[in-house]
């Protein structure tokens, strides 16, 4: 359901009248905020740059605006829950309660969850176990009597958990919030924003700019923020707002004189005077690229290494029997230790390896370690772990799919195809396996089969970027250049990193 941002009724009255009736005072003691910036997720390739800086900047601004603020940085689940409990305990009837979260967010079962840095997410059920549900937080704040409830989530980021399960949609879900609530996401529903490597997010920069304008209602502040982000990103990032405020609230009350709304603050902003039309994410077909990408070389069968059988050695007179210790000590250094695992000190791998050492038949730990290895590009180690997982449980469709994908990346295409076929035999319409098999067929040159697999995956999940991009490549190689270019453009609009991802798979 789409929520419409309502224009404040105060705009319809005279300045003098609004000065009398608008914006309850909400003294400093009545304003409480919890600000969370989570950047250091062990499962991510590198810490996020924006959340901690954004949390600190917003904390400073809210304190200037009379809020009592608690700030958490790189908080685990227990720390986040304790911080929320302290926020709940401060709230009095009629208070203003504000929650800001920057980090990774995931939607599951049509609810949005804030992810602590120590969350262990391997399947969708883990999101609900380790994540902090936004709706539950808002309901608890409401039950304590808060008059104004504000939630600001800068969490619509592509996250490191997506390849582990894809049954949930990307981005965040609409929130069912109690009356008197104002919610804003940094991006549209079910959309993600790629971390641009900046020290501070565009969303928080625009938010701070508008918060400092006196005599704006909170709705106007967030609406102007939305417009600012949309224009600065050329419509690539469009924040989402839901409001059910029952009273006007201003971050910075002024003298009651309403500021003149700038042109960009209207709900329906005028088109930007750019020489070219503002790009949209899905509906605009890009020009057909001039040269078609060269057809991939026909897949070469995995070369069978010839091993020349050496001639039999000349007979040697039997040596006198030697004690076994002498033979055992001939070359002690060679088999001394297995090759060093470059990821052995990774906290997640270290923990899982300890579990496997204690129980070598722990299929769950083997599977999870394989996923972590794969996410780090250590495909040989990942395949070995998936081998052991499938040995223990030959019907583990998740392990079969993941081994299919890992084998595809390293070029073991025929074994990969067998894995994906088996996963789909065990679970027909398994979207992950359809997507993986599409990649197998794309790399092997079976472009019609690839298109069929990607089509089937997109019918189940239309926002599956990897299938959309893969289908675009397959269509171009099958001669449908314009259709393929449209798929590719739409996929890149949803995920600008998709090209780099496929290049890592050996597909260009």
């Amino acid at each position: 359901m789409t929520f419409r941002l309502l224009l404040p009724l105060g705009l319809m009255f005279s300045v003098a009248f609004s000065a009398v009736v608008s914006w309850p005072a909400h003294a400093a003691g009545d304003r409480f905020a919890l600000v969370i910036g989570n950047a250091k997720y062990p499962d991510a390739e590198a810490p996020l740059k924006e959340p901690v800086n954004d949390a600190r900047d917003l904390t400073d601004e809210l304190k200037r605006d009379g809020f009592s603020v608690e700030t958490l940085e790189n908080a685990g689940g227990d720390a986040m829950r304790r911080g929320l409990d302290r926020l709940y305990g401060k709230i009095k009837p009629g208070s203003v309660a504000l929650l800001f979260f920057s980090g990774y967010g995931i939607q599951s079962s049509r609810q949005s969850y804030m992810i602590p840095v120590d969350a262990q997410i391997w399947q969708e059920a883990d999101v609900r176990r380790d994540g902090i549900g936004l709706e539950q937080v808002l309901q608890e704040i409401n039950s304590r009597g808060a008059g104004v409830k504000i939630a600001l989530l800068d969490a619509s980021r592509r996250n490191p958990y997506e390849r582990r399960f894809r049954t949930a949609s990307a981005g965040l879900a609409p929130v069912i919030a109690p009356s008197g609530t104002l919610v804003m996401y940094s991006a549209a529903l079910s959309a993600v924003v790629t971390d641009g490597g900046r020290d501070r997010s565009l969303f928080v920069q625009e938010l701070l700019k508008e918060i400092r304008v006196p005599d704006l209602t909170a709705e106007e502040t967030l609406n102007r923020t939305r417009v600012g982000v949309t224009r600065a990103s050329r419509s690539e990032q469009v924040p989402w707002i839901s409001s059910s405020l029952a009273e006007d609230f201003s971050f910075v009350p002024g003298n009651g004189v309403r500021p003149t709304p700038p042109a960009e603050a209207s709900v329906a902003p005028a088109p930007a005077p750019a020489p070219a039309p503002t790009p949209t994410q899905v509906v605009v077909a890009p020009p057909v690229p001039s040269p078609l990408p060269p057809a991939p070389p026909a897949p070469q069968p995995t070369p069978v290494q010839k091993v020349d059988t050496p001639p039999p050695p000349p007979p040697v007179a039997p040596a006198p029997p030697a004690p076994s210790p002498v033979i055992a000590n001939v070359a002690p250094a060679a088999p001394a230790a297995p090759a060093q695992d470059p990821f052995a000190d990774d906290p997640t791998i270290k923990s899982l390896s300890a579990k496997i050492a204690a129980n070598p038949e722990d299929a769950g730990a083997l599977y999870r370690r394989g996923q972590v290895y794969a996410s780090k590009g250590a495909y040989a180690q990942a395949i070995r772990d998936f081998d052991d997982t499938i040995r223990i449980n030959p019907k583990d469709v998740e392990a079969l799919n993941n081994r299919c994908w890992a084998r595809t990346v390293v070029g073991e295409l025929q074994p990969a195809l067998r894995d994906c076929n088996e996963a789909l035999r065990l679970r027909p319409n398994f979207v992950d396996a359809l997507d993986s098999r599409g990649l197998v067929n794309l790399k092997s040159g079976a472009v019609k089969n690839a298109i069929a697999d990607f089509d089937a995956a997109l019918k189940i999940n239309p926002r599956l970027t990897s299938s959309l991009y893969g289908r675009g490549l397959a269509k171009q190689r099958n001669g449908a250049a314009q259709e393929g270019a449209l798929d590719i453009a739409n996929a890149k609009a949803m995920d600008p990193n998709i090209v780099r991802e496929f290049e890592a798979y050996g597909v260009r």
Side-chain angles (χ1 to χ4, degrees):
M1 183 173 80
T2 302
F3 292 83
R4 182 181 300 275
L5 179 65
L6 300 177
L7 285 174
L9 294 177
L11 287 176
M12 301 170 59
F13 296 94
S14 68
V15 169
F17 183 73
S18 66
V20 174
V21 300
S22 295
W23 312 302
H26 292 299
D30 295 331
R31 297 181 173 204
F32 306 101
L34 176 62
V35 174
I36 304 172
N38 281 354
K40 294 182 179 179
Y41 289 85
D43 288 338
E45 292 182 2
L48 297 169
K49 292 184 177 181
E50 301 169 347
V52 171
N53 292 329
D54 287 340
R56 292 174 181 176
D57 290 348
L58 186 60
T59 294
D60 292 342
E61 179 59 36
L62 291 174
K63 286 180 177 178
R64 282 192 290 268
D65 298 341
F67 279 84
S68 172
V69 186
E70 179 179 1
T71 305
L72 302 178
E73 297 179 3
N74 298 313
D78 288 343
M80 287 178 63
R81 291 182 180 90
R82 286 195 299 270
L84 286 166
D85 285 341
R86 288 191 292 271
L87 175 65
Y88 302 151
K90 296 173 186 174
I91 295 172
K92 309 167 189 174
S95 297
V96 176
L98 183 146
L99 170 67
F100 171 83
F101 175 80
S102 180
Y104 288 130
I106 299 178
Q107 67 162 293
S108 174
S109 299
R110 299 184 181 180
Q111 292 195 40
S112 295
Y113 292 85
M114 300 169 284
I115 305 302
V117 295
D118 60 355
Q120 293 290 312
I121 295 175
W122 306 95
Q123 52 191 347
E124 189 171 0
D126 297 339
V127 177
R128 298 187 288 273
R129 181 197 67 203
D130 288 356
I132 309 291
L134 176 60
E135 286 188 10
Q136 289 82 354
V137 171
L138 291 174
Q139 291 292 346
E140 183 64 27
I141 292 174
N142 185 63
S143 72
R144 302 299 178 106
V148 175
K149 298 160 283 289
I150 300 174
L152 308 172
L153 268 64
D154 190 2
S156 302
R157 293 180 168 90
R158 188 160 298 284
N159 63 68
Y161 313 107
E162 288 177 345
R163 259 243 171 238
R164 298 176 180 178
F165 65 91
R166 280 189 246 141
T167 55
S169 300
L172 300 178
V175 62
I176 300 175
S179 177
T181 302
L182 184 57
V183 178
M184 186 173 196
Y185 298 159
S186 59
L189 298 175
S190 299
V192 293
V193 178
T194 301
D195 187 43
R198 299 178 296 266
D199 290 333
R200 285 161 174 81
S201 74
L202 173 62
F203 171 67
V204 173
Q205 286 178 335
E206 293 293 326
L207 175 64
L208 291 173
K209 186 191 307 180
E210 301 302 337
I211 280 181
R212 291 164 184 154
V213 179
D215 272 334
L216 288 178
T217 65
E219 283 183 335
E220 290 174 302
T221 296
L222 299 193
N223 187 44
R224 289 163 64 120
T225 300
R226 178 184 63 81
V227 173
V229 172
T230 303
R231 292 199 169 178
S233 67
R234 294 183 61 81
S235 297
E236 291 183 3
Q237 180 178 351
V238 183
W240 177 83
I241 302 173
S242 169
S243 177
S244 62
L245 285 185
E247 60 181 84
D248 286 337
F249 166 75
S250 175
F251 287 99
V252 185
N255 56 10
V257 178
R258 307 284 292 136
T260 303
E264 64 269 25
S266 60
V267 173
T278 302
T280 58
Q281 288 189 343
V282 173
V283 296
V284 177
V288 181
S290 45
L292 290 177
Q300 299 296 323
T302 305
V304 178
Q305 185 177 1
K306 289 187 177 181
V307 180
D308 295 327
T309 306
V316 179
S324 54
V326 174
I327 296 175
N329 293 330
V330 171
Q340 182 66 34
D341 182 353
F343 301 106
D345 291 331
D346 177 90
T348 305
I349 289 179
K350 196 171 184 179
S351 171
L352 291 169
S353 295
K355 290 183 178 180
I356 294 166
N359 178 13
E361 299 298 296
D362 187 341
L366 285 162
Y367 171 71
R368 292 173 182 176
R369 191 175 69 176
Q371 288 181 305
V372 178
Y373 275 132
S375 70
K376 297 179 180 297
Y379 298 111
Q381 293 99 317
I383 291 170
R384 282 199 297 269
D385 280 345
F386 295 141
D387 286 343
D388 285 336
T389 307
I390 295 165
R391 173 184 57 78
I392 297 168
N393 179 10
K395 295 184 178 182
D396 189 331
V397 293
E398 301 285 353
L400 284 163
N401 170 66
N402 276 274
R403 190 173 69 176
C404 169
W405 172 69
R407 282 175 160 175
T408 304
V409 174
V410 300
E412 299 175 3
L413 300 181
Q414 286 305 315
L417 185 60
R418 287 196 297 270
D419 281 343
C420 277
N421 285 341
E422 178 64 8
L424 287 165
R425 185 189 70 81
L426 293 168
R427 185 188 295 176
N429 295 323
F430 181 20
V431 67
D432 294 11
L434 287 167
D435 181 64
S436 297
R437 192 172 69 178
L439 181 62
V440 177
N441 286 321
L442 182 63
K443 287 194 74 171
S444 66
V447 292
K448 290 184 179 179
N449 290 341
I451 292 170
D453 282 335
F454 290 137
D455 277 343
L458 288 165
K459 284 181 181 177
I460 300 169
N461 181 0
R463 296 190 64 84
L464 190 52
T465 316
S466 54
S467 284
L468 188 60
Y469 185 79
R471 187 177 71 176
L473 293 178
K475 283 181 176 179
Q476 287 190 330
R477 294 176 185 181
N478 198 42
Q482 189 166 357
E483 290 182 18
L486 180 59
D487 276 350
I488 289 170
N490 290 338
K492 288 165 69 175
M494 289 191 284
D495 179 10
N497 288 327
I498 192 66
V499 178
R500 194 185 318 162
E501 179 180 333
F502 268 68
E503 288 175 348
Y505 302 159
V507 179
R508 290 175 173 80

